Amino acid sequence: MYAAEAPPPRPATTVPGLARLKREGQPIVALTAYDASFAAVLEAAGVDLVLVGDSLGMVVQGHASTLPVTVDDIVYHCRAVARGLRSALLVADMPFGADATPLHALEASLRMLKEGAAAMVKIEGAGPKLETLRFLVEREIPVCAHLGLTPQSVHRLGGYKVQGREAAAAEQLKRDALAVEAAGASALVLECVPSALAEAITRSLAIPTIGIGAGSACDGQVLVLHDLLGIGGGQRPRFVKDFLAGGGSVEGAVRAYAEAVRSRRFPGPEHAYA
Ligand code: KIV
């Protein structure tokens, strides 16, 4: 393979830079990636934040859930993705169980930052995870929280379902969002929640929200790369759009996604939940 032409330099996305994008009203463009070649495509398209998600357990490894993913897996894929990035912020997902205690989470996070070259780790949940979140932030590990549909809770939730539809659950989500911010999170992924709830949470926080199935009022959007490319069988979730269908090429699809997020044309009402 010949190396792709180096993309024009652009300012690197930093952790504090995410909050600045929110303050300036510039939507954050985020996507998952798992290898260097796709990371380079995302980099060239100007994606701000690249997540090595534990979704790799499903879309790369073929498991039925994200639960089997290990810290070794995340570190391996982070190292590959990091080689394709120059300016985008690299975020590593904390695998299921690796944050069972603050010390376990610290050990895993140090590997993700030192070996995997990630700049931030993403942790699902609030409640007992708040202590861990605070513990990591106090030790110079930036954290992105993740609330709403947390796929690592699939068995407790009884499936991949929209969260926060009932009044009590919506209030709890609002409290959890304020709590992760108070614990030191630098960003918050909101997955599969009603748009109005995501909007209320987004307005209540200084840190940016990055939505997936959470409507257009979030400060940014993230998708699983394979979903954006229309890869994968089964029923496509409502929030997914196949950008390859209109993009003509992988590069075109990623650029179309970035442009649609920045102009707030994606997600549309047809991709959101009430
Ligand atoms: O694992 C993942 O890819 C994620 C995104 C869907 C946000 O958590």
Side-chain angles (χ1 to χ4, degrees):
M1 290 290 292
Y2 296 106
E5 197 179 309
R10 63 186 164 105
T13 309
T14 62
V15 173
L18 295 176
R20 184 181 49 75
L21 288 172
K22 173 174 180 131
R23 286 195 302 275
E24 292 174 355
Q26 294 186 47
I28 297 164
V29 179
L31 268 178
T32 68
Y34 316 98
D35 67 38
S37 298
F38 278 106
V41 170
L42 271 50
E43 176 68 42
V47 170
D48 300 306
L49 183 155
V50 175
L51 169 69
V52 174
D54 62 0
S55 50
L56 72 86
M58 300 172 84
V59 299
V60 176
Q61 298 174 335
H63 294 295
S65 78
T66 60
L67 303 191
V69 174
T70 65
V71 175
D72 281 346
D73 292 335
I74 295 288
V75 170
Y76 172 87
H77 286 279
C78 275
R79 290 173 67 152
V81 167
R83 292 183 198 113
L85 299 183
R86 292 176 67 190
S87 303
L89 189 78
L90 177 55
V91 181
D93 226 350
M94 182 70 71
F96 177 59
D99 55 358
T101 68
L103 270 180
H104 277 105
L106 177 62
E107 208 176 295
S109 303
L110 289 175
R111 289 198 58 202
M112 292 172 195
L113 268 66
K114 288 160 84 99
E115 297 172 42
M120 177 152 76
V121 302
K122 179 169 78 59
I123 294 187
E124 294 188 10
K129 299 283 185 77
L130 294 171
E131 183 195 352
T132 301
L133 209 160
R134 212 173 289 114
F135 188 78
L136 296 181
V137 171
E138 283 168 355
R139 283 154 185 82
E140 305 298 348
I141 296 166
V143 176
C144 174
H146 182 159
L147 298 174
L149 170 53
T150 46
Q152 291 172 11
S153 317
V154 60
H155 294 311
R156 178 175 60 79
L157 298 175
Y160 300 104
K161 300 173 182 170
V162 179
Q163 301 297 307
R165 274 193 163 136
E166 302 77 22
E171 289 310 311
Q172 184 61 52
L173 260 177
K174 288 182 191 170
R175 282 195 295 274
D176 286 347
L178 291 171
V180 295
E181 178 174 72
S186 297
L188 167 62
V189 166
L190 282 176
E191 180 163 354
C192 288
V193 299
S195 302
L197 175 59
E199 180 167 4
I201 290 173
T202 298
R203 286 179 193 278
S204 74
L205 301 179
I207 59 170
T209 58
I210 302 177
I212 172 164
S216 60
C218 292
D219 300 304
Q221 300 293 330
V222 62
L223 278 182
V224 170
L225 180 62
H226 292 56
D227 287 343
L228 173 145
L229 299 175
I231 302 171
Q235 207 190 342
R236 186 187 294 172
R238 180 181 173 90
F239 59 80
V240 166
K241 179 172 172 184
D242 177 354
F243 281 88
L244 188 58
S249 66
V250 171
E251 288 81 359
V254 176
R255 281 185 196 281
Y257 166 73
E259 205 279 315
V261 171
R262 289 211 169 96
S263 61
R264 297 200 183 274
R265 283 186 296 102
F266 178 81
E270 70 277 23
H271 305 117
Y273 299 100

